[in-house]
């Protein structure tokens, strides 16, 4: 009898690699899906062909993704019971629906698979809850995502798959972030980092992901010194590891934080790095988003001609690429530059066009403040104030943003001579500021 090929430990009548390949295919996963961020597609291919052997830790990760215990790949397995066959079939169906984009249909499929999993099969239950959480995030059902990720965390705590537990904590933070529950988000990101430090094998990419998320949420909490410390650590780690997984986003966050503390030169320097990075990796949308931030920093530095040039270039390219949000932001930024140049009617025209493209954009408070500044020098276009009033009712930003939005609307109504409406908005502004 010939020995199995290198890395091809025999598992019953199949090698380890064959077992991994067959399960992966049954679960409708590609080699890239199985590789995730920890491995390369090439590594998975070599394992499946028996050309290399995974370490025990690598096998733990692969086994968890395939919803099997490590022993399933190392020991002679018992014949699959009808119940386990039914479970595997249910997981296949759920994964297929998930991968095909039928997210609403995938939810009951995953829930059925969960009902079939044995009470002590913590890996499978954790994985299924984790995937449910991801679907809820995509569907913007953040409360349900939190419930699913909490369930996943409880299951992973009963296993030795520490890295999946850390990823779940990070996703809990992400769900709270989207709900603008920034203090809760911070708690989960910091807990994820704490557990990450206990992993037997460091994972620089996962650390970069959590650092990026934590830096972002600290900036939302106006804890700028802490945000800068976290982001600079992440940038140093990125450089030392040669891993630029989150480099562009980190540079963007650094730009936002330095802008918030008034260091416009540093803000511009980091933002230009983000633009260059996204240019290098070919991410047009993020390059344009970073370019708009660059225009903002140039404007604040008084370099109006350069800021206008950048904004105009983004408007043209975003129109060509049908990137509506980026085009709206660039139009509003061009309006801000024109206002500083004294062209207040031109500024209002650009803001009005931005509102047409993206009526409830996250930057609505800043755009309304620009309208209020222009209204001190020129008449507003017909119906613009009424439109802003209606948009303020629909805008779902945080308390600080709502406070600033109603403050600007109060000023606009005061300038329009409507004292009652002005006082109404100013009262709302004070109410929201007290919540900050």
């Amino acid at each position: 009898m010939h020995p199995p090929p290198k890395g091809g430990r025999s598992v019953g009548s199949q090698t380890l690699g064959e077992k991994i390949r067959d399960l992966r295919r049954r679960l409708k996963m590609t080699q890239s899906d199985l590789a995730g961020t920890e491995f390369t597609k090439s590594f998975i291919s070599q394992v499946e062909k028996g050309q290399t052997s995974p370490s025990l830790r690598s096998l733990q990760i692969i086994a968890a993704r395939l919803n099997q215990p490590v022993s399933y790949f190392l020991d002679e397995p018992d014949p699959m019971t009808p119940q386990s066959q039914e479970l595997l079939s249910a997981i296949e169906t759920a994964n297929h629906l998930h991968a095909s984009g039928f997210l609403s249909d995938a939810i009951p499929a995953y829930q059925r698979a969960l009902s079939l999993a044995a009470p002590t099969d913590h890996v499978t239950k954790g994985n299924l809850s984790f995937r449910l959480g991801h679907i809820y995030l995509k569907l913007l059902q953040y409360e349900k995502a939190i419930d699913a990720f909490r369930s996943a965390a409880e299951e992973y705590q009963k296993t030795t798959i520490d890295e999946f537990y850390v990823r779940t904590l990070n996703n809990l933070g992400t769900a709270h972030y989207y709900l603008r529950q920034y203090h809760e988000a911070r708690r989960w990101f910091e807990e994820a980092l704490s557990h990450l430090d206990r992993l037997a094998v460091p994972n620089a990419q996962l650390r970069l992901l959590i650092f990026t998320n934590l830096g972002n949420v600290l900036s939302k909490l106006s804890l700028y010194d802490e945000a800068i410390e976290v982001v600079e650590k992440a940038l140093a780690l990125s450089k030392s590891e040669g891993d630029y997984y989150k480099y562009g986003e980190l540079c963007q966050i650094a730009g936002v934080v330095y802008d918030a503390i008034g260091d416009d030169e540093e803000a511009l320097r980091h933002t230009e790095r983000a633009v260059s990075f996204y240019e290098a990796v070919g991410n047009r949308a993020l390059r344009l988003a970073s370019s708009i931030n660059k225009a903002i920093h140039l404007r604040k530095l008084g370099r109006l001609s350069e800021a206008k040039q950048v904004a105009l270039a983004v408007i043209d390219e975003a129109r060509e690429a049908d990137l509506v949000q980026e085009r709206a932001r660039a139009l509003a930024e061009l309006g801000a530059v024109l206002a500083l140049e004294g062209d207040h009617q031109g500024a209002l025209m650009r803001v009005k066009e931005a509102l047409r493209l993206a009526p409830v954009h996250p930057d609505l408070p800043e755009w309304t403040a620009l309208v209020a500044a222009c209204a001190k020098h020129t008449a507003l276009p017909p119906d613009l104030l009424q439109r802003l009033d209606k948009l303020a009712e629909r805008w779902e930003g945080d308390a600080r943003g709502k406070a600033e939005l109603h403050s600007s609307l109060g000023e606009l109504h005061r300038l329009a001579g409507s004292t009652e409406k002005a006082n109404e908005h100013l009262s709302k502004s004070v109410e929201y500021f007290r919540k900050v």
Side-chain angles (χ1 to χ4, degrees), residues 252-327:
Q252 281 207 79
I253 295 169
V256 169
V257 172
Y258 280 114
D259 173 64
I261 63 176
D263 192 338
D264 296 315
E265 291 286 357
E266 276 297 298
L268 177 61
R269 184 170 69 88
H270 281 89
T271 302
E272 287 179 329
R273 287 179 177 177
V275 173
S276 298
F277 175 80
Y278 290 129
E279 174 74 36
V281 300
N283 192 322
R284 190 184 213 179
L286 289 178
R287 173 173 58 80
L288 292 180
S290 298
S291 295
I292 298 166
N293 291 344
K294 177 181 176 180
I296 293 171
H297 303 320
L298 287 168
R299 167 172 56 84
K300 291 183 176 181
L301 286 166
R303 294 158 62 176
L304 300 186
S305 177
E306 293 173 76
K308 183 189 287 186
Q309 185 177 0
V310 172
L312 285 168
V314 172
I315 291 168
D316 289 342
E317 191 173 350
R319 182 189 295 112
E320 174 191 325
D322 197 27
L323 294 168
V324 176
Q325 298 292 317
E326 289 76 9
R327 184 177 164 204

Side-chain angles (χ1 to χ4, degrees), residues 178-193:
Y178 285 134
L179 284 169
R180 299 184 178 89
Q181 297 170 350
Y182 298 131
H183 289 286
E184 275 295 295
R186 177 189 182 183
R187 180 171 74 85
W188 288 113
F189 292 141
E190 288 180 339
E191 187 169 343
L193 279 175

Side-chain angles (χ1 to χ4, degrees), residues 344-345 348-349 351-353 355-356 371 375 378-391 412 416:
H344 299 102
Q345 275 296 326
L348 289 173
M349 285 176 57
V351 174
K352 191 174 180 180
E353 177 65 7
L355 288 169
R356 183 187 69 79
V371 171
T378 189
L380 293 181
D383 302 327
L384 180 56
L385 181 51
Q386 291 86 345
R387 188 175 183 196
L388 287 170
D389 275 335
K390 291 179 181 178
L391 293 178
L412 281 166

